[in-house]
């Protein structure tokens, strides 16, 4: 799908990987709406529509989708980047991990992604196809290499991202017959505010664990893959690692 003039909804677009997608898609002629629970100064870029919502909330996300369709037009692309990555061992110094902490990570990363994509897909399915194949839209989710190699303290995070990876194919099967493709990117370790604040002592070994190039991923590299997924009409139902070949160890 050519992205020029297409409406692209990006969750978590106020920061990091989502923010890089916002920049990339705006630069390449898309109309971008950001859905985030934390909105930057809305006057900063008049080309972008910022809407505040929590991805876990059914009603407010539905209202935001209506508003985007009203303000920008036909929603053709949805990129789910909103997520959280708190760590917590199953049984730590203070005892068993609080169930609410585990639930919150599943709620934001897994249920939040599904909530957004189901409502975006509903909008896409109501649109006319764009080409002879019957293409109506594209959905991109963000998992993590933790879906496959969760580290110590990442039971909740790995479970949430494993869920995102696992739901990719069945959702592609649900929506494919009606012209919507669904793919997931599983990033390795990227330089974003989520990683900011980690000192050299933590970052160096992570960089060394990457096969090549020996550095953290750049957010723009994530955006480039998202753009390729949108552009390549034959890519569907796939989970794509973007990780420089890293395989995470236990810690
Ligand atoms: N940075 C990294 O190394 C990696 C990140 N990821 C995943 O990529 C995605 C983006 O991560 P980063 O850009 O690094 O993080 P980030 O912390 O820079 O950005 C996350 C954004 O999501 C928003 N957000 C969080 N919870 C929300 C909610 N309930 N409703 C609406 N918005 C919400 C935040 O406000 C923030 O703007 C996340 O899903 C993360 O798990 C996956 C693998 C590696
Ligand atoms: C980079 C990690 C793992 C992959 C992912 O999906 C999200 C991440 C952001 C938080 C990082 C994750 C990681 O690799 C371990 C660290 C760096 C984590 C923040 C603290 C962390 O657990 C650590 O410092 C380990 O030494």
């Amino acid at each position: 799908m050519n992205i020029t003039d297409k409406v692209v909804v990006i969750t978590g677009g106020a920061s990091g990987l989502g923010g890089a997608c916002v920049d990339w898609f705006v630069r390449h002629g898309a109309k971008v709406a950001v859905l985030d629970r934390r909105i930057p100064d809305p006057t900063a870029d008049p080309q972008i529509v910022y809407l505040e919502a929590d991805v876990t909330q059914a009603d407010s996300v539905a209202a935001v989708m209506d508003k985007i369709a009203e303000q920008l037009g036909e929603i053709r692309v949805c990129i789910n980047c909103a997520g959280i990555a708190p760590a917590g061992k199953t049984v730590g110094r203070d005892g068993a991990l609080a169930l609410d902490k585990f639930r919150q990570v599943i709620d934001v990363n897994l249920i939040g992604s599904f909530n957004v994509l189901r409502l975006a897909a509903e909008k896409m399915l109501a649109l006319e196809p764009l080409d002879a194949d019957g293409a109506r839209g594209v959905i991109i989710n963000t998992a993590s290499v933790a879906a496959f190699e969760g580290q110590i303290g990442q039971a909740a995070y790995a479970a949430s991202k494993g869920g995102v990876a696992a739901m990719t194919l069945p959702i592609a099967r649900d929506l494919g017959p009606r012209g919507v493709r669904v793919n997931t990117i599983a990033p390795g370790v990227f330089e974003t505010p989520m990683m900011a604040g980690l000192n050299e002592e933590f970052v160096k070994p992570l960089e060394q664990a990457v096969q090549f190039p020996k550095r953290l991923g750049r957010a723009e590299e994530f955006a480039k893959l998202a753009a390729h997924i949108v552009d390549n009409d034959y890519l569907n139902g796939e989970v794509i690692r973007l990780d420089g070949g890293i395989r995470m160890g236990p810690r």
Side-chain angles (χ1 to χ4, degrees):
M1 181 186 294
N2 184 311
I3 60 170
T4 310
D5 287 331
K6 299 294 185 310
V7 177
V8 180
V9 181
I10 303 175
T11 75
S15 177
L17 303 183
C21 290
V22 173
D23 294 346
W24 182 275
F25 281 85
V26 166
R27 257 192 292 134
H28 289 82
K31 296 189 260 179
V32 173
V34 172
L35 187 165
D36 203 297
R37 65 173 174 193
R38 190 169 50 83
I39 296 301
D41 176 3
T43 58
D45 192 334
Q47 286 194 73
I48 307 164
V49 173
Y50 287 99
L51 295 152
E52 193 175 329
D54 182 328
V55 293
T56 65
Q57 301 302 304
D59 292 348
S60 48
V61 173
V64 160
M65 289 295 170
D66 286 343
K67 216 179 225 174
I68 295 169
E70 208 178 283
Q71 284 186 22
L72 295 183
E74 299 179 344
I75 298 173
R76 293 291 183 176
V77 179
C78 172
I79 306 178
N80 267 314
C81 286
I84 54 173
K89 284 191 187 176
T90 305
V91 181
R93 284 203 190 101
D94 302 329
L97 184 71
L99 216 40
D100 279 350
K101 289 197 173 157
F102 190 94
R103 269 201 195 102
Q104 195 207 359
V105 181
I106 301 292
D107 203 22
V108 174
N109 293 354
L110 176 57
I111 300 176
S113 297
F114 185 75
N115 184 34
V116 171
L117 78 81
R118 80 192 168 99
L119 294 165
E122 189 179 36
K123 294 283 186 215
M124 292 171 188
L125 296 185
L127 304 176
E128 287 303 315
L130 289 167
D131 59 20
D133 288 336
R136 288 194 165 85
V138 182
I139 291 166
I140 300 171
N141 296 312
T142 307
S144 163
V145 291
F148 313 104
E149 298 120 34
Q151 297 182 290
I152 288 171
Q154 287 185 344
Y157 186 67
S160 71
K161 296 301 190 177
V164 171
M167 75 181 174
T168 305
L169 181 62
I171 298 172
R173 286 173 165 165
D174 285 347
L175 301 177
R178 297 165 79 185
V180 174
R181 291 186 293 116
V182 185
N183 291 284
T184 291
I185 301 174
V189 188
F190 275 69
E191 254 173 59
T192 71
M194 195 179 254
M195 296 293 292
L198 287 185
N199 56 35
E200 205 48 4
E201 180 196 341
F202 287 108
V203 173
K204 263 272 165 270
L206 285 169
E207 289 176 337
Q208 286 313 310
V210 180
Q211 295 304 317
F212 182 81
K214 288 211 176 287
R215 58 169 172 79
L216 302 191
R218 296 178 184 137
E220 193 190 59
E221 291 165 338
F222 178 92
K224 281 183 185 170
L225 179 55
H228 179 77
I229 291 171
V230 174
D231 187 50
N232 192 327
D233 296 330
Y234 209 60
L235 202 43
N236 195 14
E238 193 54 89
V239 180
I240 306 168
R241 289 181 72 127
L242 183 67
D243 63 6
I246 200 171
R247 295 295 177 269
M248 304 299 279
R251 55 170 58 88

